Amino acid sequence: MTDGVPETTQAVATPASPKPDDTPDTKKLPIRLVMTKGGMFRAVSTAGHLLHLAEQDGHDVVVRWPESVYKDPEMRGDPWEYFFEPPMTDYAGPIGKLTGINSLYPGTVTSTEHIFSPRIFRGIAESQDLPKDRHLGHSILTKFIRPKAYVRAMADDFQTAFLNRPFVGLHLRGPGRLHGGADVMRDLLQPGEPIPYKFYFKAVRRALRQNRRALVFACSDSQDVIDRVRQEFGKRVVTYPSTRSRFGEMHESHPENEGAVYSPFKLGLDVLVEAMLLARARHFVHGNSNVSNYVLCAAPDMPSTFVYEPIMGKYKERMRAELAQQKQAAKG
């Protein structure tokens, strides 16, 4: 005994003694987030949202993207690691027996409370909305979605060389963009037109009146779109040397691109660098996409124009009517 306390009891009570949870045999393992197919910023928005939820509950997360459309047969490693630093842990062990994050947070991908890409109607993937709290999104991106140094350097070098004065950012997808409700929004905004150019261009001209020396940094997966933007704004237009097709949607192996061969790695790198540069614009003109929602959160105070804003009331009315019809049909 020491000072009336049994030695065995004193040893357990000593602050320097390891806690049971700190011992190697009982150390808490991370949980796993395994991405599925989809574009770069569908993955980024999904990862950012789930990593935030996991951190709040005290989980460490290892991210893998084995089925990525950007997986390149000429490169080693996981596609997430091509572009990003590990978000939480450097865990390199097997992940098969780790708890899957989706089992802990079911239904969050199409939630109305999704931080980056909320749905207007819960569970309806084709009702994508804008982020509700851009500053929260920004803090999550800063913490967890960290592009590798070479990616940041590519964006910096391009801006220094070609975007060395204020610029208006324009993100305009080609006619193949149909997800998230984009097809219905286009029809409501300008019926019969696969791309509502006049509304995008009107917004760009308005932004240029406030930034008279500004360039126009145009981003699209479609070369036809880029050509049309150049016709409208001429020498003001700057584009990143991205891989494009006439139609776009190269990452989805669309039938319109049948027979064409693209570097999966470069497709991913291109869209990532473009989005990082768009977040440095004086004003951002955009439609409905995960890329746009990323940019809005990456630069939460940047002024922006959502070209579909004027028809969003009608869009919600149409969606409600369609959902009511589906519900009635299901009742028989």
Side-chain angles (χ1 to χ4, degrees):
M1 296 181 64
T2 304
D3 295 332
V5 180
E7 292 182 5
T8 54
T9 303
Q10 186 183 42
V12 171
T14 301
S17 301
K19 299 177 183 179
D21 287 347
D22 293 335
T23 59
D25 291 340
T26 59
K27 185 177 179 181
K28 187 176 180 181
L29 289 172
I31 61 178
R32 58 183 166 87
L33 168 55
V34 179
M35 301 293 194
T36 57
K37 292 181 179 180
M40 176 64 71
F41 289 100
R42 177 183 173 186
V44 165
S45 65
T46 299
H49 182 76
L50 290 172
L51 288 165
H52 174 67
L53 295 180
E55 183 195 42
Q56 289 183 314
D57 290 338
H59 295 294
D60 206 0
V61 183
V62 57
V63 176
R64 296 288 184 269
W65 201 7
E67 296 183 7
S68 171
V69 295
Y70 307 113
K71 186 174 182 62
D72 197 308
E74 297 183 3
M75 298 185 66
R76 295 181 180 179
D78 184 84
W80 185 263
E81 296 172 351
Y82 297 171
F83 309 109
F84 302 103
E85 300 292 349
M88 284 188 173
T89 177
D90 291 326
Y91 176 84
I95 67 168
K97 294 184 178 181
L98 300 180
T99 299
I101 197 169
N102 290 325
S103 66
L104 302 178
Y105 308 104
T108 58
V109 174
T110 54
S111 166
T112 58
E113 301 304 316
H114 196 290
I115 294 163
F116 297 97
S117 293
R119 266 43 186 187
I120 298 169
F121 301 99
R122 182 177 300 276
I124 307 300
E126 299 306 308
S127 64
Q128 184 171 316
D129 206 352
L130 302 181
K132 298 176 181 178
D133 187 341
R134 290 168 61 180
H135 285 90
L136 174 59
H138 179 264
S139 68
I140 293 169
L141 292 176
T142 301
K143 184 179 292 185
F144 298 127
I145 311 298
R146 303 186 303 275
K148 290 200 165 181
Y150 83 90
V151 181
R152 300 195 306 271
M154 291 180 71
D156 292 344
D157 290 348
F158 185 85
Q159 182 174 10
T160 299
F162 302 105
L163 292 171
N164 50 14
R165 67 181 202 244
F167 63 94
V168 173
L170 171 62
H171 184 250
L172 179 50
R173 292 282 289 272
R177 165 65 180 174
L178 302 176
H179 303 309
D183 54 342
V184 177
M185 292 179 191
R186 286 172 171 172
D187 184 58
L188 287 170
L189 187 64
Q190 192 173 2
E193 291 294 328
I195 302 174
Y197 284 113
K198 74 175 186 179
F199 292 91
Y200 281 91
F201 294 167
K202 180 180 178 180
V204 171
R205 284 193 292 270
R206 186 165 56 243
L208 289 174
R209 286 196 293 270
Q210 299 172 359
N211 301 273
R212 294 191 178 278
R213 293 186 60 254
L215 300 168
V216 176
F217 180 52
C219 300
S220 180
D221 55 355
S222 166
Q223 187 60 47
D224 286 346
V225 169
I226 294 298
D227 292 345
R228 183 68 182 82
V229 175
R230 289 193 184 280
Q231 290 175 16
E232 188 72 19
F233 298 106
K235 293 182 179 180
R236 281 183 184 262
V237 177
V238 176
T239 60
Y240 188 76
S242 296
T243 300
R244 301 183 184 91
S245 70
R246 307 307 308 185
F247 182 80
E249 303 299 308
M250 294 84 68
H251 68 288
E252 292 198 347
S253 301
H254 198 281
E256 290 283 344
N257 299 316
E258 188 175 356
V261 178
Y262 309 102
S263 163
F265 168 71
K266 188 176 184 300
L267 288 176
L269 182 61
D270 289 345
V271 70
L272 179 55
V273 173
E274 282 188 336
M276 293 169 65
L277 290 166
L278 285 169
R280 304 175 185 185
R282 288 290 182 90
H283 192 104
F284 179 43
V285 177
H286 64 94
N288 161 282
S289 73
N290 287 311
V291 175
S292 297
N293 286 5
Y294 165 84
V295 174
L296 292 170
C297 291
D301 297 313
M302 178 176 58
S304 61
T305 301
F306 177 44
V307 298
Y308 296 111
E309 185 63 39
I311 54 84
M312 289 307 293
K314 292 181 179 179
Y315 172 75
K316 293 175 184 178
E317 288 178 9
R318 180 185 286 192
M319 287 295 297
R320 286 192 189 97
E322 290 181 2
L323 292 172
Q325 289 177 355
Q326 292 173 12
K327 187 175 181 180
Q328 187 64 32
K331 290 180 178 179

